[in-house]
């Protein structure tokens, strides 16, 4: 079970900031806070950690730029404002991150990017490639093109999904609240902050139904939804106040700030659950003893050479079981190649992939980052 002192060891960290953190009540950018935030993230990055920033604010900033007193209610207007605001937002981030010598990458995602397997894999691979380059991805929903039915609508949910997609070690949601209270602190002076939560009861959820400010979409309800997803996926999550001085460094140091949501399941098992979330494995890849050893004990990816059989008819991006010659499941993962392709390259060295298939996007049939080993 994770404890505050373990947070020091977290390497891949998703940080989510809401519109209320980035802007003043009148909708103008709170540059001081943005600068403080960026400085903390840059410092974390300097320590060799990987950081992904999920930032809201496009619609709010767009509304403010256009002189609107509040966010309009129609979708096309919101979409237009997101297009206006996202540019401004990124401009500010890029400018301030550059002052600390950091390169950022804009990533705009929609729900469809997670629902369809191949796009899920693409999103994961793109984010991991950005991290591998030492760059900080700044992620938001692609509000301008997304349609109502398939909107996340709030970045709390998006950040929890991102944390799952990249196998983050921690999600920190920075907001204008100190964390989760045992009752609404705006209504009850005696409300006390919960330092740790290991179960989100219906009662807790019921208490959190009020919405956020006029420029943002979240509130405690969506944060708890994110926490629920993280807890199932084995990712610890923290809600803390962005106004706390050096909040990120202090949290990483194990200081008791905000509310820590402790995942129920162990990370490895939960990651497998995450990938298999709602999706049945579409087939099986049978591996030899060498590949089994490489996957289970050496932290390696699955290469074609160790594959001795394939069953099922699956496409790239689908979830498949990895089984031993005896049929025992040892892992699950997202495959980079289809069943048909794997039948052709099974047992072959990676250098023959291109010759056999006529193309090669990956050496790995299942990359380690997309592989969940049974424990
Ligand atoms: N994607 C929205 C924006 O950037 C924000 C969603 C949210 O407030 O959580 O304006």
């Amino acid at each position: 079970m994770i404890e505050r002192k373990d947070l020091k060891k977290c390497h891949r960290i998703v940080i989510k900031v809401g519109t209320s953190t980035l802007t003043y009540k009148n909708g103008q950018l709170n540059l001081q806070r943005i600068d403080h935030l960026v400085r903390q993230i840059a410092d974390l990055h300097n320590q060799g950690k990987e950081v992904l920033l999920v930032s809201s604010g496009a619609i709010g900033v767009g509304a403010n730029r256009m002189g609107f007193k509040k966010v309009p209610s129609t979708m096309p207007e919101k979409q237009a404002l997101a297009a206006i605001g996202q540019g401004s937002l990124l401009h500010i981030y890029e400018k301030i991150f550059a002052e600390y010598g950091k390169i950022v990458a804009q990533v705009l995602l929609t729900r469809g990017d997670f629902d369809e397997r191949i796009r899920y894999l693409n999103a994961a691979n793109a984010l991991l490639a950005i991290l591998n380059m030492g760059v900080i991805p700044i992620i938001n929903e692609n509000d301008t093109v997304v349609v109502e039915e398939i909107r996340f609508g709030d970045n709390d949910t998006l950040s929890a999904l991102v944390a799952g997609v990249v196998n983050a070690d921690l999600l920190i949601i920075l907001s204008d609240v100190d964390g989760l209270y045992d009752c609404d602190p705006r209504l009850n002076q005696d409300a006390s902050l919960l330092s740790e939560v290991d179960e989100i009861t219906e009662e807790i959820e019921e208490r959190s139904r009020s919405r956020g400010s006029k420029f943002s979409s979240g509130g405690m309800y969506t944060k708890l939804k994110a926490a629920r997803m993280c807890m199932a996926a084995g990712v610890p999550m923290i809600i803390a106040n962005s106004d706390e001085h050096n909040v990120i460094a202090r949290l990483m140091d194990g200081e008791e700030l905000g509310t820590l949501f402790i995942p129920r399941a162990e990370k490895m098992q939960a990651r497998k659950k995450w990938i298999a979330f709602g999706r049945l494995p579409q087939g099986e890849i049978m591996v030899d003893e060498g590949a089994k050893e490489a996957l289970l004990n050496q932290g390696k990816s699955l290469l074609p050479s160790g594959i001795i059989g394939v069953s099922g008819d699956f496409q790239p991006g689908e979830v498949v079981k990895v089984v031993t010659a005896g049929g025992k499941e040892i892992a699950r993962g997202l495959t980079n190649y289809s069943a048909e392709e794997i039948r052709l390259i099974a047992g072959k060295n990676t250098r023959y992939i291109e010759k056999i298939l006529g193309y090669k996007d990956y050496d790995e049939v299942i990359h380690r980052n997309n592989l969940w080993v049974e424990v």
Side-chain angles (χ1 to χ4, degrees), residues 16 19 55-60 140-141 143 153-156 216-218:
K16 185 259 169 183
T19 306
S55 175
S56 307
I59 298 175
N140 196 357
E141 182 163 14
D143 295 303
D154 72 90
N155 278 1
D156 296 320
S216 61
S217 326

Side-chain angles (χ1 to χ4, degrees), residues 7 18 59 92 98 108 116 128 141 151 178 185 201 212 250 260 294:
L7 299 179
I59 298 175
I92 295 287
L108 298 177
E116 287 173 33
L128 295 172
E141 182 163 14
R151 263 184 107 215
D178 290 336
T201 58
R250 288 165 61 196
L260 169 64

Side-chain angles (χ1 to χ4, degrees), residues 268-338:
M268 292 307 277
Q269 280 176 328
R271 280 178 174 176
K272 196 192 80 180
K273 270 188 216 156
W274 184 279
I275 194 102
F277 197 171
R279 310 200 181 281
L280 289 168
Q282 303 295 306
E284 288 185 1
I285 297 178
M286 194 177 277
V287 297
D288 63 16
E289 281 301 306
K292 178 183 157 190
E293 170 66 17
L295 295 181
L296 295 189
N297 300 324
Q298 294 165 13
K300 298 260 176 66
S301 298
L302 178 63
L303 301 175
S305 53
I307 297 177
I308 51 175
V310 186
S311 65
D313 180 23
F314 49 83
Q315 294 303 315
E318 298 199 295
V319 178
V320 294
K321 289 184 188 180
V322 179
V323 298
T324 60
K328 182 180 180 300
E329 182 179 359
I330 52 163
R332 267 182 211 196
L334 289 172
T335 172
N336 283 330
Y337 291 98
S338 70

